[in-house]
Amino acid sequence: MTETAASNFRPSQRHIRLDTILRLRWLAVLGQLAAIFIVAQGLEFDVAIIPCVSIIGLSAMLNLALQTAVNPMRRLEPIQAAALLALNIVELAGLLFFTGGLQNPFSFLFLAPVLISATALPARLTFGLGILAVACASILFFFHFPLPWDSEDPVVLPPIYLVGVWLSIVLAIGVTSLYSFQVTEEARKLADALAATELVLTREQHLTQLDGLAAAAAHELGTPLATIFLISRELEKTVKDPVFAADLKTLREQTQRCRDILGKITQLSSTGAPFDRMKLSELIEEVVAPHRDFGVDIKVRIAVTATAEPVGSRNPAVLYGVGNIIENAVDFANSTVEVNAWWNNETIEIVISDDGPGIPPDLMNRIGEPYLSRRRAQDAGGGLGLGVFIARTLLERTGAKVSFTNRTFPDHGAVVQIAWPRERFEAIESLEETIG
């Protein structure tokens, strides 16, 4: 009932495949060539073709060199991916320098590399790329060749308009990048946290499978060991040679030892089989027992009702979820944790409360989100704030509704309410159903 499995899990690092960036760069090369061809040949505007084609050619040569020298499926380190995106910004700035600067409507393409970084790279690298893009746009505001246009009717844009273009590029880079980063970060955190949840379930399932395997092995080995024991005992009675008699005695004693060990394994397995049925009070006692020796008084109150006590399966998801919430209550409690349970024909409810500081108001509506923790590193053992998220996810998969509140003033402390429809609680049969 601890966060061991969750704390051993680390969020996935941010890596982009080289092939992804190369595809984007080739797309840029083709688009730039097409734009120059249309402007120069289709519209017959005066374009600085040689400098522009030279920049595009260098970009294409770099793409070919990377495809040849490096495996395209290789995942780049964040700094390497950022370097290639920065090169895209510089190349675009070079092309815009020869084609009108900020007067060129394609100047808004400064946004593309920064957006890509915002969705795939750390914030510090995205910030650096944003600064680079703004710097290039600022330089192009003052220094650039004229916009390719009809020489008899040139376009002259007022400075105030160019200031507006520059400001819109800066705001677009800042606002859209920040929005993309926030949305992507939330999705990434949720995906990592769900992966950690599946890791916990898989671990519990493996333990259950090993438990069943041990019981089966004990059962299958019991018969041949009993036969060996009986034969060795009979031979011990009939053999007169003291040397052989001593060996047969040792054989009988070791066989009996094996039988005793298998008997213990069978006894342990029988109490932890995945299809065992247990009363609600037994479930609560099992998850509370490991936390009674930590200097916190845990009071368990089971309401006496007219209806029969509910009986459910010994489901690892329920045990882990309730146990983790009790562990958190013990961690934050000053002296007392209360576990109250009641039921009727429709509902089963467990309420866990402590006398600790309670849930901060700014976190009340976010409790249960992944990576949400205010524990100090030394207190949490280096945890990632995944414990409550995993517990809530596991419990909700069994049909429970989990809610978090604080005690009513002047009392203080957190209150966690876990409620199941009785029919759903008593129908939980296996870990596979929880995972599904």
Side-chain angles (χ1 to χ4, degrees):
M1 305 307 171
T2 67
E3 290 190 26
T4 302
S7 61
N8 289 338
F9 179 84
R10 288 295 179 268
S12 57
Q13 295 184 346
R14 305 170 183 181
H15 294 290
I16 304 178
R17 287 191 308 174
L18 176 61
D19 180 65
T20 301
I21 292 185
L22 287 179
R23 288 175 183 270
L24 294 173
R25 287 180 57 83
W26 279 121
L27 181 63
V29 167
L30 295 176
Q32 291 160 0
L33 285 175
I36 291 175
F37 177 81
I38 292 173
V39 171
Q41 301 298 323
L43 302 178
E44 297 182 351
F45 289 159
D46 186 14
V47 182
I49 295 179
I50 294 179
C52 292
V53 172
S54 298
I55 294 174
I56 298 173
L58 289 174
S59 178
M61 290 175 60
L62 177 61
N63 291 353
L64 289 174
L66 289 174
Q67 282 187 323
T68 304
V70 184
N71 182 3
M73 295 297 106
R74 173 186 171 185
R75 293 192 177 273
L76 300 174
E77 294 295 326
I79 189 65
Q80 296 172 334
L84 288 175
L85 292 174
L87 185 59
N88 289 350
I89 294 175
V90 174
E91 291 170 353
L92 176 62
L95 290 173
L96 292 175
F97 175 78
F98 292 105
T99 56
L102 296 187
Q103 299 179 36
N104 191 323
F106 288 103
S107 58
F108 279 93
L109 289 177
F110 277 127
L111 181 62
V114 185
L115 269 180
I116 295 171
S117 176
T119 59
L121 299 181
R124 67 182 188 280
L125 296 178
T126 301
F127 181 76
L129 289 173
I131 293 296
L132 176 62
V134 171
C136 291
S138 302
I139 293 173
L140 291 173
F141 181 87
F142 298 100
F143 306 101
H144 57 82
F145 278 64
L147 179 70
W149 202 257
D150 187 353
S151 58
E152 297 180 358
D153 185 21
V155 174
V156 179
L157 298 175
I160 189 65
Y161 178 82
L162 295 179
V163 171
V165 172
W166 176 86
L167 186 60
S168 64
I169 292 175
V170 173
L171 291 177
I173 289 175
V175 175
T176 58
S177 298
L178 179 61
Y179 178 79
S180 300
F181 177 81
Q182 290 291 341
V183 172
T184 306
E185 188 70 8
E186 289 296 324
R188 183 184 296 112
K189 284 184 178 181
L190 183 60
D192 289 339
L194 287 174
T197 304
E198 296 295 344
L199 182 64
V200 171
L201 281 175
T202 302
R203 183 175 180 178
E204 294 290 339
Q205 187 178 25
H206 287 170
L207 291 175
T208 300
Q209 291 172 345
L210 288 175
D211 194 26
L213 182 61
H219 177 75
E220 294 298 326
L221 291 174
T223 301
L225 281 175
T227 303
I228 294 173
F229 176 80
L230 291 174
I231 294 175
S232 61
R233 187 176 62 180
E234 294 301 322
L235 288 174
E236 187 180 356
K237 293 178 181 179
T238 58
V239 172
K240 304 301 182 182
D241 190 321
V243 176
F244 286 108
D247 290 340
L248 288 171
K249 181 180 179 181
T250 302
L251 177 62
R252 177 177 56 80
E253 291 175 347
Q254 294 301 314
T255 304
Q256 182 60 42
R257 183 182 177 188
C258 290
R259 295 179 66 191
D260 293 340
I261 293 173
L262 291 179
K264 292 179 181 179
I265 293 176
T266 304
Q267 183 179 6
L268 289 174
S269 298
S270 65
T271 61
F275 294 99
D276 278 355
R277 308 289 292 179
M278 61 192 314
K279 296 181 179 180
L280 180 63
S281 58
E282 294 172 349
L283 182 152
I284 293 174
E285 183 57 36
E286 180 167 342
V287 296
V288 165
H291 307 292
R292 290 193 180 277
D293 299 325
F294 291 93
V296 174
D297 183 22
I298 303 179
K299 299 179 180 179
V300 178
R301 297 187 179 92
I302 307 296
V304 178
T305 65
T307 58
E309 183 174 355
V311 178
S313 297
R314 188 180 180 278
N315 184 278
V318 175
L319 295 174
Y320 183 94
V322 177
N324 191 281
I325 291 175
I326 292 177
E327 179 186 3
N328 275 276
V330 171
D331 288 344
F332 288 100
N334 292 325
S335 60
T336 305
V337 170
E338 296 182 3
V339 181
N340 300 313
W342 68 273
W343 61 85
N344 55 30
N345 288 327
E346 291 78 30
T347 305
I348 297 171
E349 185 173 306
I350 300 175
V351 179
I352 302 165
S353 59
D354 62 72
D355 60 351
I359 303 172
D362 59 317
L363 299 183
M364 181 63 71
N365 294 329
R366 299 179 58 201
I367 288 293
E369 291 184 9
Y371 306 103
L372 183 66
S373 176
R374 282 193 173 177
R375 291 180 179 177
R376 293 175 297 178
Q378 60 268 32
D379 296 334
L384 296 175
L386 284 175
V388 175
F389 170 81
I390 292 176
R392 183 172 190 169
T393 301
L394 294 179
L395 290 171
E396 288 179 347
R397 287 188 174 189
T398 65
K401 181 180 180 181
V402 184
S403 59
F404 299 84
T405 58
N406 283 325
R407 286 182 168 182
T408 306
F409 184 82
D411 295 332
H412 55 85
V415 179
V416 182
Q417 182 181 27
I418 309 169
W420 287 270
R422 178 163 182 152
E423 181 180 358
R424 181 69 182 271
F425 179 85
E426 295 182 329
I428 299 174
E429 293 187 354
S430 68
L431 181 63
E432 285 74 13
E433 179 180 334
T434 302
I435 295 177

mmCIF file of all heavy atoms in Angstrom, residues 113-138:
data_model
loop_
_atom_site.group_PDB
_atom_site.id
_atom_site.type_symbol
_atom_site.label_atom_id
_atom_site.label_comp_id
_atom_site.label_asym_id
_atom_site.label_seq_id
_atom_site.Cartn_x
_atom_site.Cartn_y
_atom_site.Cartn_z
ATOM 1 N N PRO A 113 8.577 27.002 -36.182
ATOM 2 C CA PRO A 113 9.567 26.282 -35.358
ATOM 3 C C PRO A 113 9.320 26.427 -33.860
ATOM 4 O O PRO A 113 9.557 25.486 -33.096
ATOM 5 C CB PRO A 113 10.900 26.922 -35.773
ATOM 6 C CG PRO A 113 10.647 27.535 -37.110
ATOM 7 C CD PRO A 113 9.238 27.989 -37.070
ATOM 8 N N VAL A 114 8.861 27.606 -33.439
ATOM 9 C CA VAL A 114 8.617 27.813 -32.005
ATOM 10 C C VAL A 114 7.435 26.961 -31.546
ATOM 11 O O VAL A 114 7.457 26.390 -30.443
ATOM 12 C CB VAL A 114 8.364 29.301 -31.710
ATOM 13 C CG1 VAL A 114 8.235 29.534 -30.209
ATOM 14 C CG2 VAL A 114 9.492 30.159 -32.264
ATOM 15 N N LEU A 115 6.412 26.846 -32.365
ATOM 16 C CA LEU A 115 5.273 25.996 -32.011
ATOM 17 C C LEU A 115 5.682 24.532 -31.906
ATOM 18 O O LEU A 115 5.248 23.811 -31.006
ATOM 19 C CB LEU A 115 4.162 26.150 -33.050
ATOM 20 C CG LEU A 115 3.101 27.221 -32.785
ATOM 21 C CD1 LEU A 115 2.085 27.229 -33.907
ATOM 22 C CD2 LEU A 115 2.425 26.963 -31.460
ATOM 23 N N ILE A 116 6.500 24.076 -32.851
ATOM 24 C CA ILE A 116 6.980 22.692 -32.799
ATOM 25 C C ILE A 116 7.744 22.457 -31.508
ATOM 26 O O ILE A 116 7.581 21.442 -30.825
ATOM 27 C CB ILE A 116 7.859 22.384 -34.027
ATOM 28 C CG1 ILE A 116 7.015 22.443 -35.302
ATOM 29 C CG2 ILE A 116 8.520 21.016 -33.886
ATOM 30 C CD1 ILE A 116 7.830 22.362 -36.575
ATOM 31 N N SER A 117 8.590 23.403 -31.141
ATOM 32 C CA SER A 117 9.347 23.280 -29.898
ATOM 33 C C SER A 117 8.425 23.266 -28.685
ATOM 34 O O SER A 117 8.650 22.503 -27.736
ATOM 35 C CB SER A 117 10.348 24.433 -29.793
ATOM 36 O OG SER A 117 11.027 24.403 -28.559
ATOM 37 N N ALA A 118 7.387 24.091 -28.719
ATOM 38 C CA ALA A 118 6.475 24.169 -27.573
ATOM 39 C C ALA A 118 5.760 22.851 -27.320
ATOM 40 O O ALA A 118 5.421 22.529 -26.177
ATOM 41 C CB ALA A 118 5.454 25.281 -27.790
ATOM 42 N N THR A 119 5.527 22.076 -28.371
ATOM 43 C CA THR A 119 4.811 20.810 -28.210
ATOM 44 C C THR A 119 5.722 19.630 -27.943
ATOM 45 O O THR A 119 5.223 18.555 -27.612
ATOM 46 C CB THR A 119 3.992 20.502 -29.478
ATOM 47 O OG1 THR A 119 4.872 20.435 -30.608
ATOM 48 C CG2 THR A 119 2.957 21.576 -29.719
ATOM 49 N N ALA A 120 7.048 19.806 -28.073
ATOM 50 C CA ALA A 120 7.915 18.643 -27.959
ATOM 51 C C ALA A 120 9.176 18.857 -27.136
ATOM 52 O O ALA A 120 9.816 17.874 -26.766
ATOM 53 C CB ALA A 120 8.321 18.166 -29.361
ATOM 54 N N LEU A 121 9.561 20.087 -26.840
ATOM 55 C CA LEU A 121 10.831 20.356 -26.170
ATOM 56 C C LEU A 121 10.598 21.059 -24.842
ATOM 57 O O LEU A 121 9.527 21.621 -24.603
ATOM 58 C CB LEU A 121 11.730 21.213 -27.068
ATOM 59 C CG LEU A 121 12.125 20.600 -28.421
ATOM 60 C CD1 LEU A 121 13.029 21.556 -29.189
ATOM 61 C CD2 LEU A 121 12.808 19.250 -28.229
ATOM 62 N N PRO A 122 11.598 21.050 -23.957
ATOM 63 C CA PRO A 122 11.460 21.740 -22.663
ATOM 64 C C PRO A 122 11.216 23.229 -22.832
ATOM 65 O O PRO A 122 11.549 23.832 -23.854
ATOM 66 C CB PRO A 122 12.817 21.468 -21.982
ATOM 67 C CG PRO A 122 13.335 20.229 -22.630
ATOM 68 C CD PRO A 122 12.858 20.275 -24.051
ATOM 69 N N ALA A 123 10.665 23.832 -21.784
ATOM 70 C CA ALA A 123 10.260 25.238 -21.846
ATOM 71 C C ALA A 123 11.450 26.168 -22.088
ATOM 72 O O ALA A 123 11.334 27.153 -22.811
ATOM 73 C CB ALA A 123 9.544 25.621 -20.549
ATOM 74 N N ARG A 124 12.604 25.855 -21.492
ATOM 75 C CA ARG A 124 13.755 26.756 -21.634
ATOM 76 C C ARG A 124 14.223 26.832 -23.082
ATOM 77 O O ARG A 124 14.621 27.903 -23.563
ATOM 78 C CB ARG A 124 14.900 26.300 -20.733
ATOM 79 C CG ARG A 124 15.528 24.964 -21.117
ATOM 80 C CD ARG A 124 16.623 24.538 -20.160
ATOM 81 N NE ARG A 124 17.341 23.372 -20.641
ATOM 82 C CZ ARG A 124 16.913 22.136 -20.539
ATOM 83 N NH1 ARG A 124 15.742 21.885 -19.952
ATOM 84 N NH2 ARG A 124 17.634 21.123 -21.008
ATOM 85 N N LEU A 125 14.172 25.702 -23.808
ATOM 86 C CA LEU A 125 14.575 25.710 -25.213
ATOM 87 C C LEU A 125 13.540 26.429 -26.066
ATOM 88 O O LEU A 125 13.894 27.153 -27.005
ATOM 89 C CB LEU A 125 14.783 24.276 -25.704
ATOM 90 C CG LEU A 125 15.914 23.499 -25.013
ATOM 91 C CD1 LEU A 125 15.995 22.074 -25.547
ATOM 92 C CD2 LEU A 125 17.246 24.205 -25.213
ATOM 93 N N THR A 126 12.274 26.236 -25.754
ATOM 94 C CA THR A 126 11.223 26.953 -26.478
ATOM 95 C C THR A 126 11.366 28.454 -26.273
ATOM 96 O O THR A 126 11.204 29.243 -27.215
ATOM 97 C CB THR A 126 9.840 26.481 -26.001
ATOM 98 O OG1 THR A 126 9.721 25.071 -26.218
ATOM 99 C CG2 THR A 126 8.733 27.196 -26.746
ATOM 100 N N PHE A 127 11.664 28.858 -25.048
ATOM 101 C CA PHE A 127 11.862 30.271 -24.762
ATOM 102 C C PHE A 127 13.036 30.832 -25.568
ATOM 103 O O PHE A 127 12.956 31.926 -26.138
ATOM 104 C CB PHE A 127 12.110 30.478 -23.269
ATOM 105 C CG PHE A 127 12.295 31.906 -22.860
ATOM 106 C CD1 PHE A 127 11.218 32.769 -22.756
ATOM 107 C CD2 PHE A 127 13.564 32.396 -22.585
ATOM 108 C CE1 PHE A 127 11.389 34.088 -22.391
ATOM 109 C CE2 PHE A 127 13.747 33.712 -22.218
ATOM 110 C CZ PHE A 127 12.661 34.570 -22.118
ATOM 111 N N GLY A 128 14.128 30.055 -25.640
ATOM 112 C CA GLY A 128 15.280 30.496 -26.420
ATOM 113 C C GLY A 128 14.960 30.651 -27.894
ATOM 114 O O GLY A 128 15.384 31.630 -28.539
ATOM 115 N N LEU A 129 14.211 29.690 -28.448
ATOM 116 C CA LEU A 129 13.827 29.785 -29.860
ATOM 117 C C LEU A 129 12.894 30.972 -30.090
ATOM 118 O O LEU A 129 12.969 31.641 -31.132
ATOM 119 C CB LEU A 129 13.155 28.489 -30.300
ATOM 120 C CG LEU A 129 14.066 27.265 -30.422
ATOM 121 C CD1 LEU A 129 13.246 26.010 -30.703
ATOM 122 C CD2 LEU A 129 15.102 27.474 -31.529
ATOM 123 N N GLY A 130 12.008 31.237 -29.120
ATOM 124 C CA GLY A 130 11.135 32.402 -29.256
ATOM 125 C C GLY A 130 11.933 33.701 -29.274
ATOM 126 O O GLY A 130 11.647 34.607 -30.076
ATOM 127 N N ILE A 131 12.940 33.799 -28.418
ATOM 128 C CA ILE A 131 13.793 34.993 -28.396
ATOM 129 C C ILE A 131 14.532 35.143 -29.726
ATOM 130 O O ILE A 131 14.643 36.245 -30.282
ATOM 131 C CB ILE A 131 14.795 34.913 -27.227
ATOM 132 C CG1 ILE A 131 14.047 34.995 -25.893
ATOM 133 C CG2 ILE A 131 15.841 36.013 -27.325
ATOM 134 C CD1 ILE A 131 13.331 36.303 -25.669
ATOM 135 N N LEU A 132 15.030 34.024 -30.259
ATOM 136 C CA LEU A 132 15.731 34.073 -31.549
ATOM 137 C C LEU A 132 14.800 34.550 -32.655
ATOM 138 O O LEU A 132 15.180 35.388 -33.498
ATOM 139 C CB LEU A 132 16.302 32.693 -31.880
ATOM 140 C CG LEU A 132 16.988 32.558 -33.246
ATOM 141 C CD1 LEU A 132 18.193 33.496 -33.342
ATOM 142 C CD2 LEU A 132 17.392 31.110 -33.508
ATOM 143 N N ALA A 133 13.567 34.026 -32.684
ATOM 144 C CA ALA A 133 12.616 34.422 -33.727
ATOM 145 C C ALA A 133 12.266 35.906 -33.616
ATOM 146 O O ALA A 133 12.197 36.619 -34.626
ATOM 147 C CB ALA A 133 11.348 33.559 -33.628
ATOM 148 N N VAL A 134 12.057 36.396 -32.400
ATOM 149 C CA VAL A 134 11.743 37.816 -32.211
ATOM 150 C C VAL A 134 12.937 38.682 -32.620
ATOM 151 O O VAL A 134 12.768 39.746 -33.243
ATOM 152 C CB VAL A 134 11.350 38.074 -30.744
ATOM 153 C CG1 VAL A 134 11.242 39.578 -30.473
ATOM 154 C CG2 VAL A 134 10.032 37.389 -30.423
ATOM 155 N N ALA A 135 14.162 38.224 -32.291
ATOM 156 C CA ALA A 135 15.357 38.980 -32.675
ATOM 157 C C ALA A 135 15.485 39.075 -34.191
ATOM 158 O O ALA A 135 15.791 40.151 -34.745
ATOM 159 C CB ALA A 135 16.598 38.334 -32.067
ATOM 160 N N CYS A 136 15.241 37.952 -34.891
ATOM 161 C CA CYS A 136 15.317 37.969 -36.353
ATOM 162 C C CYS A 136 14.250 38.894 -36.943
ATOM 163 O O CYS A 136 14.521 39.656 -37.892
ATOM 164 C CB CYS A 136 15.156 36.556 -36.896
ATOM 165 S SG CYS A 136 16.553 35.460 -36.540
ATOM 166 N N ALA A 137 13.041 38.828 -36.388
ATOM 167 C CA ALA A 137 11.973 39.708 -36.880
ATOM 168 C C ALA A 137 12.329 41.171 -36.630
ATOM 169 O O ALA A 137 12.034 42.042 -37.469
ATOM 170 C CB ALA A 137 10.656 39.346 -36.199
ATOM 171 N N SER A 138 12.957 41.466 -35.498
ATOM 172 C CA SER A 138 13.339 42.844 -35.192
ATOM 173 C C SER A 138 14.404 43.353 -36.150
ATOM 174 O O SER A 138 14.361 44.503 -36.602
ATOM 175 C CB SER A 138 13.837 42.932 -33.742
ATOM 176 O OG SER A 138 12.838 42.494 -32.829
#
